[in-house]
Amino acid sequence: MPRAEVGTPKYIANQMKSKGLQRLRWYCQVCSKQCRDENGFKCHAQSEAHLRQMLVVGENAGRHISDFSSQFQSEFVHLLSRRFGTTRVKANNVYQEYIQDKNHLHMNATRWVTLTEFIKHLGRTGVARVDETEKGWFIAWIDNSPKALAKQEASMKKERLTTSDEQRERMLIAEQIERAQAEAGGSGSSESPPPPEEAGLKRDEGEKLVLSFAPKAPAAAAAATATTTPAAPASLGFKVNPLKPAVNPLKAGVNPLKRSNVFKQAAASSTESVAGKKRDAPMSSAQRLMYEDQERKRRKMERETGATMVA
């Protein structure tokens, strides 16, 4: 059945029916014909025009597929660079805008079966930066044009110059600070007092804090009490029974069955060590100044006394 002529009601009806996107599997890229249903695509595949076109393509199928693939890639990259530039965008959004054109080159005629394979190919060839996330594949175009490369090189050169200027300024400032410190140290080294030392608890690097958790021996205290107490009755003239102990160990204040508090003894020893360190702490800056002032007055009085005696 011949095609309807342009402007006829049949032609307008066919245009209205074919308005918008159709099924990709019912599109013949060799003949550039879109069928509306499976029956129409089957009839088209059995038509004489389609068979002749397939015979021409079958003579060198690899070349035709390569041409279709290169055309699809160039159109896709052209849309990506013009529409989105170098911004990172979802690959499916770019493809949706690409297929809005009804006469676009379909992917089923290329060497790539899915969009994911095509996006990976762009990433491998260095045309775009590709990364996969939970939301899908994202793509960003890499601008390798001479103008963009020259602009990037100029910006890098400017950044290097700016960095070198900043480094030069830092070096000059550092030299001025060192010169000022040297002048101040040469002029006021004899007059200015030494910097005050921090007053407080200090511990040397090699010094170790030793805590003793050993309990005190109750036997030693009992023996000392036993040796000191019998002297009183002897001096008073009382008879001492050698079989009866001179001192009751239970009344002496020491219970041999009761263990001493180890942690209390450790706290007491640490307190004593801290107190000893506090006594050995250096003088503060105010105390040092007062001490120097007193020494200066004493020397002055000694000189005046010596001069008076000589006169």
Side-chain angles (χ1 to χ4, degrees):
M1 182 176 180
R3 290 186 178 182
E5 296 180 2
V6 180
T8 59
K10 184 68 173 176
Y11 177 81
I12 296 174
N14 291 338
Q15 291 296 324
M16 292 176 64
K17 290 179 181 179
S18 63
K19 186 178 180 180
L21 297 176
Q22 303 293 324
R23 290 292 186 89
L24 180 62
R25 59 180 178 176
W26 296 336
Y27 183 83
C28 180
Q29 186 65 52
V30 177
C31 303
S32 300
K33 179 177 177 57
Q34 175 70 55
C35 301
R36 287 194 292 270
D37 54 8
E38 187 175 359
N39 186 31
F41 184 76
K42 182 179 179 181
C43 294
H44 170 72
Q46 294 176 356
S47 63
E48 184 179 355
H50 177 76
L51 293 177
R52 284 200 304 268
Q53 194 70 19
M54 289 301 295
L55 289 175
V56 174
V57 173
E59 293 178 358
N60 196 349
R63 182 174 61 83
H64 286 81
I65 293 175
S66 178
D67 294 342
F68 287 147
S69 301
S70 60
Q71 182 181 352
F72 177 80
Q73 180 177 346
S74 62
E75 292 178 357
F76 188 89
V77 173
H78 180 77
L79 174 65
L80 177 63
S81 60
R82 294 295 183 271
R83 174 68 176 81
F84 302 98
T86 56
T87 58
R88 181 173 174 267
V89 67
K90 197 173 182 180
N92 193 27
N93 295 344
V94 184
Y95 182 72
Q96 292 297 329
E97 290 199 13
Y98 174 75
I99 64 177
Q100 285 181 2
D101 184 12
K102 187 176 180 181
N103 298 319
H104 71 278
L105 183 66
H106 289 66
M107 191 181 289
N108 59 355
T110 63
R111 65 168 67 99
W112 303 292
V113 181
T114 59
L115 180 63
T116 303
E117 295 181 2
F118 174 66
I119 297 302
K120 290 181 179 179
H121 169 73
L122 293 180
R124 286 193 298 267
T125 54
V127 178
R129 287 186 293 270
V130 178
D131 59 319
E132 184 182 8
T133 61
E134 296 178 357
K135 297 181 179 180
W137 286 90
F138 283 82
I139 185 172
W141 178 55
I142 300 175
D143 191 0
N144 293 326
S145 60
K147 185 177 180 180
L149 294 176
K151 185 177 179 180
Q152 184 178 2
E153 185 177 357
S155 63
M156 292 177 62
K157 186 177 180 181
K158 183 178 180 181
E159 185 178 357
R160 286 196 298 269
L161 291 175
T162 306
T163 306
S164 61
D165 292 340
E166 292 179 357
Q167 291 179 354
R168 194 179 300 108
E169 290 179 359
R170 291 197 196 98
M171 292 175 62
L172 291 175
I173 293 172
E175 290 178 359
Q176 292 177 1
I177 293 173
E178 291 178 358
R179 193 181 304 112
Q181 290 178 353
E183 293 177 357
S187 60
S189 59
S190 59
E191 298 178 0
S192 60
E197 298 181 0
E198 296 181 358
L201 297 177
K202 292 184 179 180
R203 186 177 68 179
D204 297 336
E205 296 182 357
E207 184 179 358
K208 296 182 179 179
L209 183 60
V210 181
L211 300 178
S212 176
F213 294 97
K216 294 182 179 180
T225 309
T227 53
T228 55
T229 49
S235 61
L236 297 176
F238 295 104
K239 180 181 283 186
V240 180
N241 189 359
L243 301 179
K244 183 179 179 181
V247 179
N248 190 357
L250 299 179
K251 293 182 180 180
V254 179
N255 188 358
L257 301 179
K258 183 178 179 181
R259 299 182 60 185
S260 60
N261 193 344
V262 180
F263 298 100
K264 186 175 181 181
Q265 295 176 1
S269 60
S270 62
T271 306
E272 292 176 0
S273 62
V274 169
K277 289 186 178 180
K278 284 186 177 180
R279 289 193 297 269
D280 298 338
M283 294 187 297
S284 62
S285 57
Q287 294 175 353
R288 188 183 297 103
L289 292 175
M290 293 174 61
Y291 179 74
E292 292 178 357
D293 191 13
Q294 293 176 1
E295 288 292 328
R296 194 181 299 109
K297 290 181 179 180
R298 185 179 60 79
R299 288 195 296 270
K300 185 177 180 181
M301 291 176 63
E302 289 179 357
R303 287 197 300 269
E304 291 178 355
T305 306
T308 305
M309 293 176 63
V310 171

